PDB file of all heavy atoms in Angstrom:
ATOM      1  N   THR A  14       3.985  -9.804   0.816  1.00  0.00           N
ATOM      2  CA  THR A  14       3.577 -10.280  -0.483  1.00  0.00           C
ATOM      3  C   THR A  14       4.398 -11.273  -1.228  1.00  0.00           C
ATOM      4  O   THR A  14       4.137 -12.114  -1.956  1.00  0.00           O
ATOM      5  CB  THR A  14       3.255  -9.078  -1.482  1.00  0.00           C
ATOM      6  OG1 THR A  14       4.426  -8.286  -1.441  1.00  0.00           O
ATOM      7  CG2 THR A  14       2.138  -8.198  -0.876  1.00  0.00           C
ATOM      8  N   ASN A  15       5.708 -11.163  -0.722  1.00  0.00           N
ATOM      9  CA  ASN A  15       6.764 -12.026  -1.377  1.00  0.00           C
ATOM     10  C   ASN A  15       7.356 -12.851  -0.251  1.00  0.00           C
ATOM     11  O   ASN A  15       7.936 -12.351   0.725  1.00  0.00           O
ATOM     12  CB  ASN A  15       7.909 -11.157  -2.019  1.00  0.00           C
ATOM     13  CG  ASN A  15       8.732 -12.083  -2.891  1.00  0.00           C
ATOM     14  OD1 ASN A  15       8.910 -13.244  -2.617  1.00  0.00           O
ATOM     15  ND2 ASN A  15       9.561 -11.389  -3.736  1.00  0.00           N
ATOM     16  N   ARG A  16       7.341 -14.250  -0.360  1.00  0.00           N
ATOM     17  CA  ARG A  16       7.656 -15.034   0.743  1.00  0.00           C
ATOM     18  C   ARG A  16       9.208 -14.906   0.851  1.00  0.00           C
ATOM     19  O   ARG A  16       9.797 -15.329   1.990  1.00  0.00           O
ATOM     20  CB  ARG A  16       7.343 -16.522   0.315  1.00  0.00           C
ATOM     21  CG  ARG A  16       7.998 -17.061  -0.828  1.00  0.00           C
ATOM     22  CD  ARG A  16       7.504 -18.518  -1.137  1.00  0.00           C
ATOM     23  NE  ARG A  16       8.031 -19.092  -2.379  1.00  0.00           N
ATOM     24  CZ  ARG A  16       9.171 -19.818  -2.331  1.00  0.00           C
ATOM     25  NH1 ARG A  16       9.842 -19.973  -1.171  1.00  0.00           N
ATOM     26  NH2 ARG A  16       9.582 -20.407  -3.392  1.00  0.00           N
ATOM     27  N   ASN A  17       9.949 -14.280   0.035  1.00  0.00           N
ATOM     28  CA  ASN A  17      11.390 -14.135   0.134  1.00  0.00           C
ATOM     29  C   ASN A  17      11.756 -13.220   1.341  1.00  0.00           C
ATOM     30  O   ASN A  17      12.848 -13.248   1.929  1.00  0.00           O
ATOM     31  CB  ASN A  17      12.000 -13.560  -1.190  1.00  0.00           C
ATOM     32  CG  ASN A  17      12.046 -14.511  -2.282  1.00  0.00           C
ATOM     33  OD1 ASN A  17      12.091 -15.704  -2.042  1.00  0.00           O
ATOM     34  ND2 ASN A  17      11.940 -13.992  -3.463  1.00  0.00           N
ATOM     35  N   ASP A  18      10.758 -12.384   1.794  1.00  0.00           N
ATOM     36  CA  ASP A  18      10.875 -11.497   2.972  1.00  0.00           C
ATOM     37  C   ASP A  18      11.184 -12.371   4.153  1.00  0.00           C
ATOM     38  O   ASP A  18      12.157 -12.014   4.922  1.00  0.00           O
ATOM     39  CB  ASP A  18       9.694 -10.671   3.241  1.00  0.00           C
ATOM     40  CG  ASP A  18       9.398  -9.692   2.093  1.00  0.00           C
ATOM     41  OD1 ASP A  18      10.432  -9.227   1.503  1.00  0.00           O
ATOM     42  OD2 ASP A  18       8.302  -9.302   1.863  1.00  0.00           O
ATOM     43  N   ILE A  19      10.540 -13.474   4.400  1.00  0.00           N
ATOM     44  CA  ILE A  19      10.692 -14.383   5.555  1.00  0.00           C
ATOM     45  C   ILE A  19      11.861 -15.135   5.348  1.00  0.00           C
ATOM     46  O   ILE A  19      12.725 -15.428   6.227  1.00  0.00           O
ATOM     47  CB  ILE A  19       9.472 -15.217   5.808  1.00  0.00           C
ATOM     48  CG1 ILE A  19       8.226 -14.382   6.079  1.00  0.00           C
ATOM     49  CG2 ILE A  19       9.722 -16.181   6.895  1.00  0.00           C
ATOM     50  CD1 ILE A  19       8.448 -13.436   7.263  1.00  0.00           C
ATOM     51  N   LEU A  20      12.148 -15.704   4.047  1.00  0.00           N
ATOM     52  CA  LEU A  20      13.281 -16.574   3.858  1.00  0.00           C
ATOM     53  C   LEU A  20      14.547 -15.770   4.009  1.00  0.00           C
ATOM     54  O   LEU A  20      15.565 -16.420   4.385  1.00  0.00           O
ATOM     55  CB  LEU A  20      13.211 -17.056   2.354  1.00  0.00           C
ATOM     56  CG  LEU A  20      11.888 -18.011   2.126  1.00  0.00           C
ATOM     57  CD1 LEU A  20      11.966 -18.497   0.579  1.00  0.00           C
ATOM     58  CD2 LEU A  20      11.832 -19.134   3.012  1.00  0.00           C
ATOM     59  N   SER A  21      14.598 -14.482   3.600  1.00  0.00           N
ATOM     60  CA  SER A  21      15.789 -13.702   3.960  1.00  0.00           C
ATOM     61  C   SER A  21      16.194 -13.580   5.344  1.00  0.00           C
ATOM     62  O   SER A  21      17.404 -13.599   5.745  1.00  0.00           O
ATOM     63  CB  SER A  21      15.642 -12.297   3.358  1.00  0.00           C
ATOM     64  OG  SER A  21      14.651 -11.651   3.944  1.00  0.00           O
ATOM     65  N   LEU A  22      15.142 -13.540   6.276  1.00  0.00           N
ATOM     66  CA  LEU A  22      15.463 -13.421   7.701  1.00  0.00           C
ATOM     67  C   LEU A  22      16.044 -14.814   8.123  1.00  0.00           C
ATOM     68  O   LEU A  22      16.974 -14.926   8.998  1.00  0.00           O
ATOM     69  CB  LEU A  22      14.148 -13.238   8.465  1.00  0.00           C
ATOM     70  CG  LEU A  22      13.624 -11.823   8.181  1.00  0.00           C
ATOM     71  CD1 LEU A  22      12.273 -11.760   9.060  1.00  0.00           C
ATOM     72  CD2 LEU A  22      14.501 -10.754   8.781  1.00  0.00           C
ATOM     73  N   CYS A  23      15.440 -16.006   7.586  1.00  0.00           N
ATOM     74  CA  CYS A  23      15.960 -17.287   7.909  1.00  0.00           C
ATOM     75  C   CYS A  23      17.401 -17.513   7.419  1.00  0.00           C
ATOM     76  O   CYS A  23      18.212 -17.987   8.210  1.00  0.00           O
ATOM     77  CB  CYS A  23      14.974 -18.383   7.217  1.00  0.00           C
ATOM     78  SG  CYS A  23      13.262 -18.366   7.770  1.00  0.00           S
ATOM     79  N   ASP A  24      17.789 -16.937   6.262  1.00  0.00           N
ATOM     80  CA  ASP A  24      19.132 -17.118   5.744  1.00  0.00           C
ATOM     81  C   ASP A  24      20.110 -16.399   6.544  1.00  0.00           C
ATOM     82  O   ASP A  24      21.240 -16.600   6.545  1.00  0.00           O
ATOM     83  CB  ASP A  24      19.139 -16.591   4.275  1.00  0.00           C
ATOM     84  CG  ASP A  24      18.276 -17.430   3.374  1.00  0.00           C
ATOM     85  OD1 ASP A  24      18.149 -18.676   3.766  1.00  0.00           O
ATOM     86  OD2 ASP A  24      17.943 -17.011   2.371  1.00  0.00           O
ATOM     87  N   MET A  25      19.748 -15.364   7.461  1.00  0.00           N
ATOM     88  CA  MET A  25      20.530 -14.622   8.269  1.00  0.00           C
ATOM     89  C   MET A  25      20.897 -15.368   9.503  1.00  0.00           C
ATOM     90  O   MET A  25      21.504 -14.801  10.523  1.00  0.00           O
ATOM     91  CB  MET A  25      20.166 -13.249   8.638  1.00  0.00           C
ATOM     92  CG  MET A  25      20.015 -12.377   7.345  1.00  0.00           C
ATOM     93  SD  MET A  25      19.536 -10.754   7.876  1.00  0.00           S
ATOM     94  CE  MET A  25      20.728 -10.123   8.851  1.00  0.00           C
ATOM     95  N   GLU A  26      20.371 -16.674   9.619  1.00  0.00           N
ATOM     96  CA  GLU A  26      20.412 -17.413  10.834  1.00  0.00           C
ATOM     97  C   GLU A  26      19.912 -16.788  12.085  1.00  0.00           C
ATOM     98  O   GLU A  26      20.400 -17.130  13.193  1.00  0.00           O
ATOM     99  CB  GLU A  26      21.962 -17.689  11.108  1.00  0.00           C
ATOM    100  CG  GLU A  26      22.629 -18.642   9.880  1.00  0.00           C
ATOM    101  CD  GLU A  26      22.030 -19.881   9.686  1.00  0.00           C
ATOM    102  OE1 GLU A  26      21.640 -20.567  10.638  1.00  0.00           O
ATOM    103  OE2 GLU A  26      21.988 -20.278   8.512  1.00  0.00           O
ATOM    104  N   LEU A  27      18.843 -15.978  11.955  1.00  0.00           N
ATOM    105  CA  LEU A  27      18.278 -15.349  13.100  1.00  0.00           C
ATOM    106  C   LEU A  27      17.337 -16.228  13.889  1.00  0.00           C
ATOM    107  O   LEU A  27      17.076 -15.986  15.010  1.00  0.00           O
ATOM    108  CB  LEU A  27      17.600 -13.976  12.688  1.00  0.00           C
ATOM    109  CG  LEU A  27      18.471 -12.965  12.125  1.00  0.00           C
ATOM    110  CD1 LEU A  27      17.611 -11.753  11.657  1.00  0.00           C
ATOM    111  CD2 LEU A  27      19.508 -12.445  13.100  1.00  0.00           C
ATOM    112  N   PHE A  28      16.736 -17.160  13.129  1.00  0.00           N
ATOM    113  CA  PHE A  28      15.790 -18.053  13.774  1.00  0.00           C
ATOM    114  C   PHE A  28      16.370 -19.246  14.485  1.00  0.00           C
ATOM    115  O   PHE A  28      15.724 -20.094  14.950  1.00  0.00           O
ATOM    116  CB  PHE A  28      14.837 -18.556  12.653  1.00  0.00           C
ATOM    117  CG  PHE A  28      13.842 -17.450  12.204  1.00  0.00           C
ATOM    118  CD1 PHE A  28      13.967 -16.069  12.612  1.00  0.00           C
ATOM    119  CD2 PHE A  28      12.790 -17.881  11.446  1.00  0.00           C
ATOM    120  CE1 PHE A  28      13.113 -15.212  12.203  1.00  0.00           C
ATOM    121  CE2 PHE A  28      11.805 -16.997  11.049  1.00  0.00           C
ATOM    122  CZ  PHE A  28      11.971 -15.577  11.440  1.00  0.00           C
ATOM    123  N   LYS A  29      17.682 -19.329  14.384  1.00  0.00           N
ATOM    124  CA  LYS A  29      18.313 -20.423  15.117  1.00  0.00           C
ATOM    125  C   LYS A  29      18.149 -20.496  16.582  1.00  0.00           C
ATOM    126  O   LYS A  29      18.225 -21.605  17.248  1.00  0.00           O
ATOM    127  CB  LYS A  29      19.821 -20.624  14.792  1.00  0.00           C
ATOM    128  CG  LYS A  29      20.652 -19.464  15.326  1.00  0.00           C
ATOM    129  CD  LYS A  29      22.145 -19.569  14.908  1.00  0.00           C
ATOM    130  CE  LYS A  29      22.957 -18.325  15.533  1.00  0.00           C
ATOM    131  NZ  LYS A  29      24.248 -18.489  15.052  1.00  0.00           N
ATOM    132  N   HIS A  30      17.790 -19.307  17.159  1.00  0.00           N
ATOM    133  CA  HIS A  30      17.475 -19.165  18.606  1.00  0.00           C
ATOM    134  C   HIS A  30      15.994 -19.311  18.867  1.00  0.00           C
ATOM    135  O   HIS A  30      15.653 -19.232  19.989  1.00  0.00           O
ATOM    136  CB  HIS A  30      17.978 -17.730  19.106  1.00  0.00           C
ATOM    137  CG  HIS A  30      19.542 -17.611  18.884  1.00  0.00           C
ATOM    138  ND1 HIS A  30      20.464 -18.405  19.453  1.00  0.00           N
ATOM    139  CD2 HIS A  30      20.078 -16.716  17.985  1.00  0.00           C
ATOM    140  CE1 HIS A  30      21.708 -17.849  19.010  1.00  0.00           C
ATOM    141  NE2 HIS A  30      21.551 -16.964  18.189  1.00  0.00           N
ATOM    142  N   THR A  31      15.241 -19.447  17.902  1.00  0.00           N
ATOM    143  CA  THR A  31      13.760 -19.371  18.023  1.00  0.00           C
ATOM    144  C   THR A  31      13.254 -20.623  18.663  1.00  0.00           C
ATOM    145  O   THR A  31      13.532 -21.720  18.188  1.00  0.00           O
ATOM    146  CB  THR A  31      13.030 -19.119  16.663  1.00  0.00           C
ATOM    147  OG1 THR A  31      13.498 -17.858  16.094  1.00  0.00           O
ATOM    148  CG2 THR A  31      11.472 -19.043  16.842  1.00  0.00           C
ATOM    149  N   THR A  32      12.388 -20.509  19.762  1.00  0.00           N
ATOM    150  CA  THR A  32      11.737 -21.616  20.447  1.00  0.00           C
ATOM    151  C   THR A  32      10.299 -21.694  20.171  1.00  0.00           C
ATOM    152  O   THR A  32       9.683 -22.690  20.248  1.00  0.00           O
ATOM    153  CB  THR A  32      12.107 -21.644  22.014  1.00  0.00           C
ATOM    154  OG1 THR A  32      11.653 -20.371  22.446  1.00  0.00           O
ATOM    155  CG2 THR A  32      13.699 -21.709  22.189  1.00  0.00           C
ATOM    156  N   HIS A  33       9.654 -20.551  19.912  1.00  0.00           N
ATOM    157  CA  HIS A  33       8.258 -20.399  19.614  1.00  0.00           C
ATOM    158  C   HIS A  33       7.998 -19.569  18.422  1.00  0.00           C
ATOM    159  O   HIS A  33       8.454 -18.531  18.340  1.00  0.00           O
ATOM    160  CB  HIS A  33       7.505 -19.832  20.883  1.00  0.00           C
ATOM    161  CG  HIS A  33       7.562 -20.704  22.048  1.00  0.00           C
ATOM    162  ND1 HIS A  33       8.750 -20.753  22.853  1.00  0.00           N
ATOM    163  CD2 HIS A  33       6.692 -21.478  22.679  1.00  0.00           C
ATOM    164  CE1 HIS A  33       8.471 -21.602  23.917  1.00  0.00           C
ATOM    165  NE2 HIS A  33       7.213 -22.038  23.816  1.00  0.00           N
ATOM    166  N   LEU A  34       7.222 -20.220  17.473  1.00  0.00           N
ATOM    167  CA  LEU A  34       6.949 -19.649  16.208  1.00  0.00           C
ATOM    168  C   LEU A  34       5.367 -19.627  15.856  1.00  0.00           C
ATOM    169  O   LEU A  34       4.700 -20.600  16.199  1.00  0.00           O
ATOM    170  CB  LEU A  34       7.654 -20.383  15.097  1.00  0.00           C
ATOM    171  CG  LEU A  34       7.392 -19.939  13.651  1.00  0.00           C
ATOM    172  CD1 LEU A  34       7.940 -18.515  13.444  1.00  0.00           C
ATOM    173  CD2 LEU A  34       7.972 -20.911  12.638  1.00  0.00           C
ATOM    174  N   SER A  35       4.921 -18.439  15.489  1.00  0.00           N
ATOM    175  CA  SER A  35       3.516 -18.338  15.315  1.00  0.00           C
ATOM    176  C   SER A  35       3.232 -17.905  13.869  1.00  0.00           C
ATOM    177  O   SER A  35       3.709 -16.799  13.425  1.00  0.00           O
ATOM    178  CB  SER A  35       2.823 -17.321  16.270  1.00  0.00           C
ATOM    179  OG  SER A  35       1.301 -17.116  15.916  1.00  0.00           O
ATOM    180  N   LEU A  36       2.521 -18.628  13.153  1.00  0.00           N
ATOM    181  CA  LEU A  36       1.940 -18.350  11.809  1.00  0.00           C
ATOM    182  C   LEU A  36       0.528 -18.202  11.784  1.00  0.00           C
ATOM    183  O   LEU A  36      -0.205 -18.339  10.744  1.00  0.00           O
ATOM    184  CB  LEU A  36       2.445 -19.361  10.724  1.00  0.00           C
ATOM    185  CG  LEU A  36       3.938 -19.632  10.703  1.00  0.00           C
ATOM    186  CD1 LEU A  36       4.212 -20.742   9.689  1.00  0.00           C
ATOM    187  CD2 LEU A  36       4.689 -18.377  10.220  1.00  0.00           C
ATOM    188  N   ALA A  37      -0.150 -18.052  12.974  1.00  0.00           N
ATOM    189  CA  ALA A  37      -1.594 -18.001  13.007  1.00  0.00           C
ATOM    190  C   ALA A  37      -2.229 -17.065  12.024  1.00  0.00           C
ATOM    191  O   ALA A  37      -1.864 -15.910  11.939  1.00  0.00           O
ATOM    192  CB  ALA A  37      -1.882 -17.660  14.545  1.00  0.00           C
ATOM    193  N   GLY A  38      -3.347 -17.564  11.524  1.00  0.00           N
ATOM    194  CA  GLY A  38      -4.143 -16.683  10.638  1.00  0.00           C
ATOM    195  C   GLY A  38      -3.526 -16.327   9.300  1.00  0.00           C
ATOM    196  O   GLY A  38      -4.150 -15.477   8.579  1.00  0.00           O
TER     197      GLY A  38
END
């Protein structure tokens, strides 16, 4: 419900290894 949930994961630099991302639906 709060987009900060996803942004907080990004701020931890966890997505720097991500090669495939799905926001489908």
Side-chain angles (χ1 to χ4, degrees):
T14 55
N15 189 340
R16 65 186 178 88
N17 292 329
D18 295 330
I19 299 300
L20 297 180
S21 63
L22 294 176
C23 294
D24 292 338
M25 294 181 67
E26 301 297 327
L27 297 177
F28 285 12
K29 66 181 180 181
H30 304 292
T31 302
T32 59
H33 292 77
L34 176 67
S35 175
L36 304 176

